[in-house]
């Protein structure tokens, strides 16, 4: 009995070793098929191989519909006017392959150039919130590599208070099935970058505010994937004034002006003294108050936000299109050396004027009407 038991144990151990060897070979072959650098593949564990494989399968399914449409367009273009299809000779196959390789290299270089200009990264989200794809420059902004994030769910890395807003953007309505709807929202996500730009442990990660913009891609075919194609840009705490069509302002938490620089006079006609104590809602076009209110709410919840494009009233009449980048400045606590240094929370805004004055003769507020009457009276007195 003892000999039979030892024999069965030896057979079981050998079967287990064979099974583990086959599994290692399968995972090795699967890892070799991933479009990653050999140095990256060498450090992947089995769960990561499975996660990345599933992500690339979904990316392939997503791109398959686009390639099918492109191939149909090429096929139609190859049909001659008399209805006969042009067929290339066998000798032209090598030339076409070389041209394709050259085009792929150019496309890769063009993509890298766009990512550098964008100052952000690309993200593809499924309707369930899975991060199907991220561009490899994501580590520059989050301190986490592409392979560490792909295949994970976005809700594992975002602030719990932002989950409902993310779900609303992932949800597709019946109207959006037929037209690619736009998406524009702000969310907080974990960042392993330190203030010196080094990568830290994910357990000590901080929240980074991202401005996400993109479109919905709906795939009707069952093998394809419906998703969001997003560009994600981190919102800096400070901005550089790039041109004369920019002005800075500071506000209390209810968005009343406490400071505004002199550029506003050239752009909107107001002097900084005219704006002190006034609410920014007084200068906003009535139809754009929801846009400004959403920006205000994001500021109170997430400390940073981008308003999107809205109309700001000009003093003499009409309006200009603007976009405001805003951040909450934390209060300064009093210290022994500066006992009176305590300051309340305030909001810093950098506003970019995107257009010239539109409909300058149109009065959209009582303040514009009063200023127009005063200007008219002054001109009559001079006459």
């Amino acid at each position: 009995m003892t000999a039979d038991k030892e024999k069965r144990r030896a057979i079981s151990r050998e079967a287990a070793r064979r099974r583990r060897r086959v599994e290692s070979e399968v995972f090795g072959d699967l890892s070799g098929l991933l479009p990653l650098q050999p140095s990256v593949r060498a450090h992947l564990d089995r769960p990561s191989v499975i996660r990345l494989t599933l992500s690339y399968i979904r990316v392939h399914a997503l791109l398959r519909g686009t390639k099918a449409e492109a191939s149909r367009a090429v096929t139609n273009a190859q049909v001659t006017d008399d209805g006969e299809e042009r067929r290339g000779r066998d000798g032209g196959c090598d030339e076409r392959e070389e041209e394709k390789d050259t085009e792929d290299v150019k496309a890769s270089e063009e993509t890298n150039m766009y990512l550098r200009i964008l100052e952000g990264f690309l993200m593809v989200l499924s309707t369930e919130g899975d991060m199907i794809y991220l561009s490899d420059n994501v580590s520059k902004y989050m301190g986490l590599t592409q392979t560490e994030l792909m295949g994970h769910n976005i809700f594992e890395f975002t602030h719990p208070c932002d989950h409902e807003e993310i779900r609303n953007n992932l949800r597709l309505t019946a109207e959006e099935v037929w037209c690619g709807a736009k998406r524009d929202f702000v969310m907080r996500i974990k960042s392993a970058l330190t203030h010196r730009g080094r990568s830290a442990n994910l357990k000590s990660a901080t929240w980074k505010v991202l401005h996400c913009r993109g479109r919905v891609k709906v795939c009707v075919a069952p093998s394809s994937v419906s998703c969001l194609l997003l560009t994600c840009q981190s919102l800096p705490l400070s901005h550089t004034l790039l041109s004369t069509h920019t002005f800075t302002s500071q506000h209390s938490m209810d968005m009343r002006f406490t400071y505004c620089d002199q550029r506003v006079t050239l752009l909107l006609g107001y002097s900084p003294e005219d704006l002190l104590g006034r609410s920014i809602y007084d200068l906003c076009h009535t139809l754009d108050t929801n846009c400004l209110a959403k920006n205000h709410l994001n500021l109170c919840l997430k400390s940073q936000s981008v308003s999107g494009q809205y109309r700001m009233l000009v003093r003499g009449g009409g309006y200009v299109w603007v976009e405001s980048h805003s951040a909450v400045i934390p209060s300064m606590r009093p210290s022994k050396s500066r006992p009176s240094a305590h300051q309340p929370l305030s909001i810093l805004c950098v506003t970019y004027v995107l257009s010239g004055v539109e409909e300058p003769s149109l009065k959209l507020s009582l303040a514009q009407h009063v200023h127009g009457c005063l200007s008219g009276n002054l001109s009559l007195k001079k006459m």
Side-chain angles (χ1 to χ4, degrees):
M1 290 293 293
T2 305
D4 292 341
K5 191 180 294 184
E6 287 295 331
K7 186 177 181 180
R8 285 196 298 270
R9 287 179 179 175
I11 293 173
S12 177
R13 286 195 295 268
E14 181 62 28
R17 280 195 293 267
R18 191 183 304 113
R19 185 173 60 252
R20 288 194 295 269
R21 186 167 58 251
V22 171
E23 286 179 357
S24 299
E25 292 175 357
V26 170
F27 275 99
D29 295 339
L30 194 60
S31 175
L33 294 174
L34 292 174
L36 300 171
Q37 296 291 335
S39 58
V40 177
R41 290 199 297 262
H43 294 88
L44 293 178
D45 55 7
R46 293 183 180 183
S48 298
V49 171
I50 295 174
R51 171 170 53 82
L52 292 173
T53 301
L54 292 175
S55 293
Y56 280 112
I57 288 174
R58 299 176 79 174
V59 170
H60 180 72
L62 178 65
L63 297 176
R64 187 160 47 198
T66 306
K67 289 182 178 180
E69 293 176 1
S71 63
R72 283 196 297 270
V74 171
T75 302
N76 293 335
Q78 288 178 345
V79 177
T80 57
D81 294 336
D82 57 357
E84 296 182 355
E85 185 177 354
R86 296 196 303 269
R87 297 181 180 178
R89 298 179 180 179
D90 295 337
C93 294
D94 295 336
E95 295 180 1
R96 285 197 297 270
E97 290 180 358
E98 291 178 0
E99 291 177 359
K100 183 180 178 181
D101 293 340
T102 305
E103 290 177 358
D104 290 343
V105 172
K106 289 182 179 179
S108 178
E109 292 176 353
E110 187 176 1
T111 301
N112 292 332
M113 181 189 68
Y114 288 153
L115 290 174
R116 287 194 299 270
I117 296 173
L118 177 66
E119 284 298 323
F121 59 92
L122 302 179
M123 180 189 294
V124 180
L125 283 179
S126 70
T127 51
E128 294 80 22
D130 296 325
M131 291 183 282
I132 301 175
Y133 177 78
L134 296 106
S135 56
D136 56 1
N137 66 331
V138 65
S139 58
K140 177 182 175 183
Y141 302 96
M142 293 182 58
L144 301 170
T145 63
Q146 180 189 44
T147 54
E148 289 176 316
L149 294 171
M150 278 181 59
H152 284 293
N153 198 281
I154 189 70
F155 297 109
E156 299 175 20
F157 293 87
T158 51
H159 197 286
C161 296
D162 298 341
H163 287 180
E164 186 60 30
E165 184 178 4
I166 296 172
R167 289 191 187 95
N168 291 336
N169 282 280
L170 292 173
R171 196 175 294 122
L172 303 180
T173 63
E175 182 182 356
E176 292 171 344
V177 172
W178 302 103
C179 60
K182 293 182 179 180
R183 290 291 187 268
D184 190 337
F185 60 98
V186 174
M187 67 178 181
R188 286 164 288 183
I189 195 166
K190 289 181 180 178
S191 172
L193 284 179
T194 64
H195 65 281
R196 294 183 178 181
R198 299 176 181 175
S199 296
N201 195 302
L202 189 59
K203 293 181 180 179
S204 59
T206 56
W207 296 114
K208 174 167 283 192
V209 184
L210 292 181
H211 183 207
C212 303
R213 288 179 290 188
R215 285 187 176 273
V216 175
K217 181 174 177 59
V218 180
C219 298
V220 182
S223 60
S224 299
V225 181
S226 297
C227 61
L228 296 187
L229 307 177
L230 300 172
T231 59
C232 303
Q233 294 176 297
S234 59
L235 297 182
L237 291 173
S238 61
H239 290 259
T240 304
L241 300 184
L242 301 178
S243 69
T244 56
H245 296 85
T246 311
F247 67 91
T248 59
S249 57
Q250 196 165 333
H251 307 259
S252 58
M253 291 305 295
D254 59 354
M255 293 304 292
R256 293 186 178 276
F257 282 89
T258 57
Y259 165 80
C260 191
D261 69 24
Q262 297 289 340
R263 294 172 185 241
V264 72
T265 305
L266 179 64
L267 297 170
L268 302 179
Y270 304 99
S271 66
E273 292 75 17
D274 293 337
L275 298 177
L276 295 181
R278 292 184 63 181
S279 172
I280 196 171
Y281 290 98
D282 295 340
L283 306 183
C284 177
H285 195 288
T286 307
L287 298 178
D288 297 334
T289 50
N290 288 336
C291 173
L292 208 58
K294 180 183 177 182
N295 180 57
H296 194 181
L297 182 62
N298 278 331
L299 275 171
C300 295
L301 295 176
K302 305 169 187 177
S303 75
Q304 289 178 264
S305 186
V306 175
S307 66
Q309 298 175 8
Y310 67 97
R311 285 161 287 191
M312 186 173 279
L313 305 185
V314 179
R315 185 182 184 188
Y319 57 85
V320 293
W321 287 94
V322 300
E323 182 175 272
S324 297
H325 295 234
S326 312
V328 174
I329 303 174
S331 58
M332 185 184 299
R333 296 183 178 180
S335 60
K336 294 181 179 179
S337 60
R338 301 175 64 185
S340 61
H342 180 74
Q343 296 177 356
L345 290 172
S346 60
I347 295 173
L348 178 66
C349 293
V350 179
T351 302
Y352 297 85
V353 179
L354 307 175
S355 72
V357 180
E358 298 187 13
E359 301 187 46
S361 60
L362 183 63
K363 309 300 180 185
L364 297 166
S365 69
L366 181 61
Q368 285 182 324
H369 181 71
V370 171
H371 176 73
C373 292
L374 292 175
S375 300
N377 292 335
L378 288 174
S379 60
L380 288 174
K381 288 180 179 179
K382 290 180 180 179
M383 292 176 65

